[in-house]
Amino acid sequence: MSDSVVTNTSAAVPEASGTPGSAAAPTFDQFGLAADILKAVTESGYTTPTPIQAQAIPVVLAGRDVMGAAQTGTGKTASFSLPIIQRLLPQANTSASPARHPVRALILTPTRELADQVAANVQAYSKHTPLRSTVVFGGVDMNPQSEALRRGVEVLIATPGRLLDHVQQKTLNLGQVQMLVLDEADRMLDMGFLPDLQRILNLLPKERQTLLFSATFSGEIKKLAATYLRNPQTIEVARSNSTATNVRQIVFEVHESDKSGAVAQLIRERNLKQVIVFCNSKIGASRLARVLERDGIIATAIHGDRTQGERMQALDAFKRGEIEALVATDVAARGLDIVELPAVINFDLPFSAEDYVHRIGRTGRAGASGDALSLCSANEKKQLADIEKLIKRPLEVETLTVTTPARREGGRRERDERPVRAERGEHRHAREESGSRRRATSFERSHARQQPVDEFFLKPYEPSPASVKRHDEAVEHERKAAPKQPLAALLGGLGMPRKTTSS
DNA sequence: AAAAAAC
């Protein structure tokens, strides 16, 4: 749930061991948090604060503004949620009157999924307190959100657009906000949220505590901080633009048209139980999910053209372990907390090197090891160079011989085995001798489910039973959330990109 | 060049 360090429960640290100044492992006791909060922390399975929690919690409790540089997976969410709850607790009351529950803490995030996840954390940490929290974001019915706001909440988690919508609808008043969190602030600026942020900030009392978290401290971020933060304490856990040393990063040079096959092959050969595959485009993500499904890998796509119901469904199913490959655009690059993901695959190298750092941050979480496997085609060399420059080291490059069927231009299929480094002249032979029988590779032999090639390309796509089930669930979910758009849900459920209204 | 986010 939270992005705190998950400690092995069988080796749980006794709570009493943490006396101040002792060499014992630190515990959450040291912060002076209320018993009701500590109880929830313990129930969540966390015993030892992460470095950012150890640094940020006392500073936030002291009421200071914070400029935090921390990636997700460092325990960032708890580092601001816990002290926010603590600071609001004295003002919490059990009255049913909405007027007694004004919004006192506002947490803004760039994506809907991240908002939902932060809200789940806040909910978990505050469950033994009278404090109320809720989350508002776009893509879903406003009415239940309006109703929750009308009843009153002390902690509100939101994406900027829908928040302003509620302000405009007069279902939300921000006049009593005492604490503001800008989570993934650099991402929000990247996404063009600056005007929205400025409008929101102008609605808030000047007298407040502001916490800004960002993966990088660009000039824009510094300017934002200089304008809206007061004498902030800088907290930096891992140097920005650095990648975790427990993540092994490998680049596979492949032909563009071999990429789908390469993904399936990497998943099988490395026996990856769960993996996020990042694509640069929404259409590419939908297409890859379909090809992987066809290849017997349970896969689903998550991107901005799918309905919110489908996005949530996909993420939940992935978290429950029902999906092997979550094929995503950069909507999932930041913030998503999925415990102990063994690997991420970059189907495309991201356009921005910083996004690479965020994408591979989805693996090797909380000290566990992980693999970041990137496919690089001939026209992505520039991106590779940019990444190596940003992380200040060259990446390991390996050869991958793709043996799965790969779609070719014009709908025809290339032969099975083709060296991927042909353009470098490192291949053994580009083509088999005609007439010579090639022995099946161990991969192919173990891959009995594979359909004959012609059949695959002649038959229309048929979703797997698992896919159909998920689709039906998504449609049902969508019907409940937004009864006006059954067609959109249906198209999205089949992995089809929906038409966007914007240009 | 692409993605994300309000109706």
Side-chain angles (χ1 to χ4, degrees):
Chain A
M1 255 339 202
S2 142
D3 46 12
S4 300
V5 169
V6 181
T7 53
N8 188 333
T9 45
S10 63
V13 181
E15 293 299 307
S17 66
T19 52
S22 80
T27 73
F28 282 99
D29 294 359
Q30 69 199 39
F31 304 119
L33 296 171
D36 286 341
I37 301 175
L38 284 175
K39 190 176 165 199
V41 170
T42 306
E43 284 169 2
S44 299
Y46 309 121
T47 52
T48 308
T50 65
I52 188 161
Q53 289 162 1
Q55 287 185 62
I57 291 174
V59 177
V60 180
L61 286 176
R64 279 198 66 174
D65 283 7
V66 166
M67 177 94 166
Q71 314 227 345
T72 322
T74 55
K76 185 179 54 169
T77 307
S79 80
F80 61 76
S81 304
L82 296 175
I84 284 176
I85 295 165
Q86 173 72 32
R87 274 173 63 75
L88 297 185
L89 213 43
Q91 307 166 54
N93 76 70
T94 53
S95 158
S97 163
R100 301 299 184 92
H101 301 273
V103 176
R104 299 187 196 275
L106 174 64
I107 302 169
L108 295 176
T109 72
T111 66
R112 299 164 181 175
E113 279 77 9
L114 187 53
D116 203 32
Q117 181 181 290
V118 171
N121 277 269
V122 170
Q123 191 73 53
Y125 298 143
S126 62
K127 70 177 176 186
H128 299 302
T129 77
L131 289 171
R132 304 176 183 180
S133 61
T134 196
V135 59
V136 301
F137 51 74
V140 295
D141 194 352
M142 271 188 95
N143 291 330
Q145 297 177 355
S146 303
E147 185 52 29
L149 293 174
R150 196 196 57 76
R151 286 193 300 268
V153 292
E154 281 83 5
V155 185
L156 178 62
I157 301 95
T159 49
R162 181 54 70 91
L163 183 87
L164 285 169
D165 210 348
H166 278 290
V167 170
Q168 215 164 353
Q169 307 274 326
K170 308 266 192 244
T171 45
L172 173 62
N173 185 317
L174 297 175
Q176 295 196 59
V177 171
Q178 300 161 344
M179 304 179 81
L180 169 71
V181 179
L182 301 174
D183 198 10
E184 307 271 3
D186 51 346
R187 182 63 158 185
M188 289 200 271
L189 293 190
D190 286 351
M191 287 166 59
F193 276 144
L194 185 58
D196 283 353
L197 288 184
Q198 287 170 328
R199 287 171 64 199
I200 293 165
L201 281 152
N202 288 333
L203 295 167
L204 303 180
K206 297 282 165 284
E207 198 63 37
R208 60 156 199 273
Q209 184 179 9
T210 308
L211 317 174
L212 183 153
F213 291 89
S214 181
T216 55
F217 285 165
S218 64
E220 275 183 310
I221 288 291
K222 285 177 181 155
K223 202 173 154 195
L224 186 75
T227 314
Y228 295 108
L229 271 62
R230 290 197 306 197
N231 186 28
Q233 168 91 44
T234 301
I235 295 174
E236 196 162 354
V237 168
R239 215 188 77 250
S240 32
N241 305 344
S242 70
T243 50
T245 50
N246 55 335
V247 175
R248 185 166 175 220
Q249 302 173 59
I250 309 172
V251 172
F252 299 96
E253 293 195 332
V254 297
H255 193 281
E256 188 66 39
S257 58
D258 279 337
K259 280 184 167 183
S260 306
V263 169
Q265 185 166 332
L266 286 172
I267 290 172
R268 297 220 189 272
E269 283 182 349
R270 290 169 173 261
N271 194 24
L272 302 173
K273 301 293 183 211
Q274 278 211 302
V275 65
I276 295 185
V277 187
F278 285 106
C279 298
N280 283 359
S281 76
K282 295 180 277 199
I283 290 173
S286 279
R287 190 180 296 148
L288 178 61
R290 264 203 322 271
V291 171
L292 292 178
E293 281 266 294
R294 197 279 310 165
D295 213 15
I297 292 166
I298 304 173
T300 198
I302 181 167
H303 57 67
D305 272 356
R306 304 204 71 193
T307 67
Q308 196 55 35
E310 288 160 352
R311 283 165 59 166
M312 290 159 120
Q313 196 81 33
L315 196 57
D316 288 349
F318 189 69
K319 285 185 175 180
R320 284 195 303 265
E322 294 165 10
I323 286 170
E324 293 169 287
L326 185 68
V327 187
T329 58
D330 281 319
V331 68
R334 301 193 190 202
L336 292 192
D337 185 44
I338 292 148
V339 188
E340 288 181 30
L341 206 56
V344 298
I345 297 175
N346 286 310
F347 179 85
D348 300 306
L349 286 179
F351 293 112
S352 131
E354 276 181 11
D355 283 336
Y356 173 83
V357 176
H358 290 288
R359 287 179 179 188
I360 75 166
R362 303 304 98 220
T363 187
R365 309 290 301 277
S369 66
D371 291 332
L373 313 172
S374 301
L375 305 182
C376 179
S377 69
N379 54 8
E380 291 177 298
K381 295 291 164 64
K382 166 81 165 66
Q383 281 117 289
L384 181 58
D386 288 348
I387 290 164
E388 291 180 327
K389 193 175 157 198
L390 181 73
I391 67 174
K392 296 187 179 70
R393 66 187 166 100
L395 293 176
E396 208 176 315
V397 178
E398 279 189 19
T399 304
L400 183 71
T401 304
V402 182
T403 53
T404 44
R407 195 184 286 274
R408 307 298 305 169
E409 294 82 13
R412 285 210 338 271
R413 186 178 153 269
E414 193 73 308
R415 61 190 55 242
D416 279 352
E417 189 160 2
R418 209 166 51 79
V420 295
R421 290 189 153 193
E423 68 270 30
R424 279 192 166 189
E426 296 172 27
H427 57 286
R428 294 175 301 260
H429 46 259
R431 299 210 161 230
E432 295 167 71
E433 293 286 330
S434 60
S436 76
R437 292 293 296 174
R438 184 179 58 82
R439 285 189 61 192
T441 63
S442 59
F443 169 70
E444 284 169 316
R445 280 194 299 272
S446 68
H447 193 184
R449 273 191 284 182
Q450 195 167 301
Q451 299 168 31
V453 176
D454 291 343
E455 198 183 323
F456 166 46
F457 284 105
L458 291 174
K459 269 170 55 176
Y461 166 70
E462 278 202 51
S464 71
S467 164
V468 171
K469 179 168 169 282
R470 282 196 312 280
H471 162 257
D472 291 345
E473 287 168 358
V475 169
E476 177 62 14
H477 193 285
E478 191 61 25
R479 192 187 60 75
K480 285 182 197 156
K484 287 170 206 157
Q485 296 199 330
L487 180 63
L490 185 72
L491 290 176
L494 292 169
M496 306 286 284
R498 294 189 299 123
K499 279 212 173 67
T500 47
T501 47
S502 58
S503 53

